[in-house]
């Protein structure tokens, strides 16, 4: 009689329930949280994995009966560890972008934080393209903050959580409005007084890596970049990645619309890149195949630019093997330390 759904809504991931009979939607868990997997018991109670900015996902139960159930915590998996370490809290910022659209951005700051000091800063861009940054625990940005960086995470136009029109802002137009929003977000945090405009980094994974590629073709203001599992030349993996139907729907076949395909491919503007860039990804990534990173790397080497390429053997789009994860995170920090923080 009811369908339980996870609902992206303006930086939150809520748990909602929809009536099959009339389509009425009721929100069960809201607020500054990210709801993950759920399970519904025969008596109507619900178990949900809930994450917060300083809480990796734990299990909570919503008892059956109350019209507005309050999540009751079941587990404390990382309690001992979390009590022994410092974690940054999140600050939400909102500002208008180029066309007046409001943009939401999450900011994490290092500790101790002095608002009169200017910090090295990383613009960390989300993947999925139509996904969103939310209030869930994010290990990578916590790591950056712990290493002395302000971390800025904009939900640029094209992101989810803001309705269909917002998500379709990038239809046939990757690397346009999203880049504008990254630049506006950069300017906005600099104006707050705690970001050093001469020590800026940019990076991301998947679509966040692709957006990074485009950003550094448009501006030289970033001192270092990390491009993880990104796309450079879209036509090079036509028929190899799993998105053929999507590409035909949005861009049309490349043999008929080659100019459009090239216009959204950062590889076509690679000669504009002067930012030292780390390209990194998995050997067997079928989602955004490693050939993109290889082509971007080879082009930048040919142009005499500062660039590095790391490929993890037998790894896919998500770098899962623990020893690879550790290596990946260390390379992120080392690259930004060298070129942004300039240790």
């Amino acid at each position: 009689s009811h369908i339980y759904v996870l609902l992206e809504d303006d930086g939150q991931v809520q748990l909602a329930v929809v009536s099959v009979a009339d389509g009425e939607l009721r929100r069960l868990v809201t607020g500054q949280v990210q709801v993950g997997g759920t399970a519904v018991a025969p008596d109507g109670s619900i178990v949900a994995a809930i994450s917060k900015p300083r809480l990796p996902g734990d299990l909570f139960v919503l008892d059956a009966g109350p019209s507005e159930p309050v999540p009751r915590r079941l587990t404390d998996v990382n309690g001992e560890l979390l009590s022994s370490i410092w974690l940054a809290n999140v600050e939400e910022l909102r500002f208008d972008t180029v066309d007046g659209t409001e943009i939401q951005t999450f900011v994490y700051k290092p500790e101790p934080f002095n608002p009169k000091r200017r910090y090295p800063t990383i613009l960390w861009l989300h993947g999925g393209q139509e996904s969103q940054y939310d209030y869930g625990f994010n290990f990578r940005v916590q790591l950056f903050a712990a290493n002395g960086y302000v971390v800025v995470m904009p939900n640029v136009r094209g992101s989810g959580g803001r309705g269909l029109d917002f998500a379709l802002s990038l239809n046939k137009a990757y690397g346009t409005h999203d880049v504008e929003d990254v630049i506006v977000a950069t300017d906005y945090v600099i104006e707050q007084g705690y970001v050093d405009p001469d020590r800026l980094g940019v990076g991301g994974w998947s679509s966040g890596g692709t957006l990074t590629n485009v950003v550094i073709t448009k501006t030289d203001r970033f001192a270092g970049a990390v491009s993880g599992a990104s796309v450079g030349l879209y036509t090079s993996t036509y028929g190899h990645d799993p998105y053929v139907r999507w590409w035909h729907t949005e861009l049309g076949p490349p043999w008929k619309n080659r100019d459009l395909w090239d216009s959204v491919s950062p590889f076509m503007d690679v000669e504009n890149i002067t930012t030292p860039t780390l390209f990194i990804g998995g050997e067997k990534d079928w989602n955004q195949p490693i050939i993109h990173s290889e082509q971007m790397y080879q082009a930048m080497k040919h142009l005499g630019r500062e660039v590095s390429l790391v490929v993890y053997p037998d790894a896919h789009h998500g770098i899962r093997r623990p020893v690879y994860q550790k290596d990946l995170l260390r390379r992120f920090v080392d690259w930004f330390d060298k070129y942004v923080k300039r240790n």
Side-chain angles (χ1 to χ4, degrees), residues 220-265:
D220 63 359
R221 68 191 302 180
F222 292 98
V226 171
S227 176
S230 66
V231 169
L233 183 62
Y234 278 96
T235 53
S236 65
T237 52
Y238 174 85
H240 182 74
D241 68 25
Y243 303 118
V244 172
R245 293 185 66 181
W246 290 12
W247 300 140
H248 276 265
T249 299
E250 183 170 357
L251 303 178
W255 55 90
K256 289 187 176 180
N257 296 329
R258 183 59 187 264
D259 288 346
L260 178 57
W261 281 72
D262 286 351
S263 73
V264 299
S265 297

Side-chain angles (χ1 to χ4, degrees), residues 121-127 133 140-141 144 151-154 182 200-213 215-216 222-230 275-278 280 332 335-336 340:
T121 298
I122 298 170
L123 275 289
W124 195 247
L125 312 177
H126 70 66
Y133 276 131
R140 289 179 183 177
V141 300
F144 295 147
V151 188
V152 180
M153 305 158 63
V182 171
L200 295 172
V202 63
W205 195 264
S206 193
S207 291
T210 305
L211 179 53
T212 296
N213 294 347
V215 167
I216 59 179
F222 292 98
V226 171
S227 176
S230 66
T275 303
T277 305
L278 168 64
I280 193 164
F332 284 174
W335 193 266
F336 285 130
V340 177

Side-chain angles (χ1 to χ4, degrees), residues 8 20 26 33 45 58 70 76 90 92 109 117 120 126 175 180-181 189 223 234 241 273 279 293:
E8 287 187 335
V20 173
R26 185 161 58 96
V33 299
S45 60
D58 265 309
V70 177
D76 188 15
V90 66
E92 182 197 48
K109 299 173 182 175
R117 178 185 167 191
H126 70 66
E180 293 173 354
D181 297 347
V189 292
Y234 278 96
D241 68 25
I273 300 176
F279 293 97
S293 296

Side-chain angles (χ1 to χ4, degrees), residues 277-295:
T277 305
L278 168 64
F279 293 97
I280 193 164
E283 175 195 21
K284 295 182 178 178
D285 185 346
W286 296 95
N287 193 308
Q288 298 196 168
I290 196 65
I291 190 174
H292 293 290
S293 296
E294 293 169 338
Q295 290 173 329

Side-chain angles (χ1 to χ4, degrees), residues 129 170-176 178 214 234 247 250-251 263-264:
Q129 196 168 71
L170 297 184
N171 186 51
K172 299 183 178 67
Y174 316 151
T176 57
D178 45 357
V214 183
Y234 278 96
W247 300 140
E250 183 170 357
L251 303 178
S263 73
V264 299

